Amino acid sequence: MHTINPAQAKGVMDMRAMIDGLAARYAAMRVAQGADVESFLAVFEAMQCAAQEGDYRTFLDTDLAFHMMIVQMAAIEGLLHVYKTIRKYQISFHRETMREYWPDLNVLFEGHRQIAEAILDGDSNAAEDFAKAHLEAIWYRLAEHNGTNILPGDPLDRACAYIAFHYDEPIHLDMLARKIAGISPGHLARLFREQRGTSFTEYLRDIRLQKAAETLRNTRMPIKRVAKNVGYSDNSRFALHFRRRFGMTPLFYRTTHVR
């Protein structure tokens, strides 16, 4: 297995997250002002095809083109040079490890979809948030595959860290306990009650709803997409849980909390 220096890798990821977030924000602003998106859409669609076909080489090439195009669309002087320097550090590592860390490229592609949709909507806040979250999720995947010295040592902390980066995916207590925390499901359930004062199910639901509320406050993303992006496949259930948590519908919450 390919090994990396955790501190160095995290530092590079933090730099990329800042740059990608800034570029996505300004790219979305340019789109809102009428910038042409035809080339961007073509690259995005090529990336989707590569993911569906499991073509790692093409996916990596289109991934690079996708992010480079966002930086170019941002039109911030000097940013492209900085970005190329950082990507040069990462590119050989990605070529060697992508197949191992992402056996299903569609999972990696979905993070790009969120960024692309926000940019195409001209939603600068959402674009920046998704760009940063995408890099954070990649770092977490690296951490998962490079030893527990990168991840929290406490079983409950590992479980909570996993939830923080995977709340948009189906998460079951048994999998979380055995594969992430390294303890029995019963033991993990007790830790949630004793140390977090809530059940696993309630903790996961609250994380999802808090993220939904943040997205509603900061973006113009359609509510159905907000629900999907925080792990709800059923819009009615999302609306019901949101109202129980915040005392109002998602739409009313947005109208009263918009910035």
Side-chain angles (χ1 to χ4, degrees):
M1 181 182 293
H2 187 97
T3 58
I4 60 173
N5 180 309
Q8 187 179 37
K10 185 62 169 65
V12 172
M13 281 296 180
D14 285 346
M15 290 177 63
R16 262 207 65 189
M18 288 189 291
I19 292 173
D20 280 37
L22 180 66
R25 167 175 284 278
Y26 275 82
M29 291 169 59
R30 305 289 183 236
V31 171
Q33 295 165 1
D36 179 58
V37 297
E38 186 175 344
S39 298
F40 181 65
L41 276 171
V43 170
F44 177 69
E45 290 170 0
M47 183 193 301
Q48 184 175 29
C49 289
Q52 292 172 345
E53 295 170 3
D55 184 344
Y56 284 82
R57 180 179 294 276
T58 301
F59 187 91
L60 184 60
D61 291 340
T62 52
D63 169 82
L64 177 60
F66 175 84
H67 290 285
M68 292 278 281
M69 191 163 291
I70 292 174
V71 176
Q72 291 172 330
M73 289 169 65
I76 299 175
E77 185 174 356
L79 192 63
L80 184 60
H81 173 73
V82 175
Y83 188 78
K84 285 181 177 179
T85 301
I86 293 177
R87 283 300 294 240
K88 188 181 297 183
Y89 169 86
Q90 292 184 308
I91 199 69
S92 61
F93 171 74
H94 285 319
R95 287 193 185 281
E96 295 175 19
T97 60
M98 183 175 286
R99 188 181 299 272
E100 179 182 353
Y101 292 0
W102 286 276
D104 182 358
L105 281 176
N106 291 293
V107 174
L108 185 55
F109 171 74
E110 285 304 315
H112 294 81
R113 182 195 296 279
Q114 293 178 331
I115 301 168
E117 289 178 344
I119 290 175
L120 293 171
D121 287 343
D123 194 334
S124 57
N125 287 334
E128 181 175 6
D129 288 347
F130 284 134
K132 289 180 177 179
H134 175 62
L135 269 295
E136 290 171 354
I138 288 178
W139 177 82
Y140 187 89
R141 181 62 65 94
L142 299 180
E144 285 183 296
H145 286 76
N146 282 276
T148 56
N149 61 315
I150 304 177
L151 295 175
D154 179 79
L156 182 58
D157 286 344
R158 284 201 301 275
C160 291
Y162 183 90
I163 290 172
F165 288 103
H166 297 269
Y167 60 82
D168 58 331
E169 304 170 12
I171 302 177
H172 303 287
L173 179 63
D174 188 77
M175 179 283 295
L176 189 66
R178 300 186 189 283
K179 294 188 177 181
I180 305 301
I183 56 179
S184 72
H187 187 185
L188 182 60
R190 285 193 297 274
L191 290 178
F192 269 106
R193 289 194 299 270
E194 293 170 0
Q195 298 186 31
R196 294 294 189 271
T198 186
S199 70
F200 154 72
T201 300
E202 291 168 342
Y203 180 88
L204 174 59
R205 182 182 300 163
D206 194 60
I207 291 294
R208 286 172 168 166
L209 293 175
Q210 290 287 1
K211 184 61 180 178
E214 178 185 339
T215 304
L216 289 169
R217 290 195 305 270
N218 298 330
T219 78
R220 302 189 304 274
M221 184 181 298
I223 292 174
K224 287 184 178 180
R225 197 189 302 169
V226 173
K228 179 182 177 182
N229 285 343
V230 298
Y232 278 88
S233 57
D234 185 332
N235 294 325
S236 297
R237 181 174 291 273
F238 168 69
L240 175 64
H241 288 174
F242 193 94
R243 183 162 190 158
R244 285 177 179 172
R245 174 65 177 79
F246 295 101
M248 62 188 77
T249 66
L251 178 58
F252 191 70
Y253 182 92
R254 166 170 274 165
T255 59
T256 56
H257 291 78
V258 66
R259 292 182 177 181

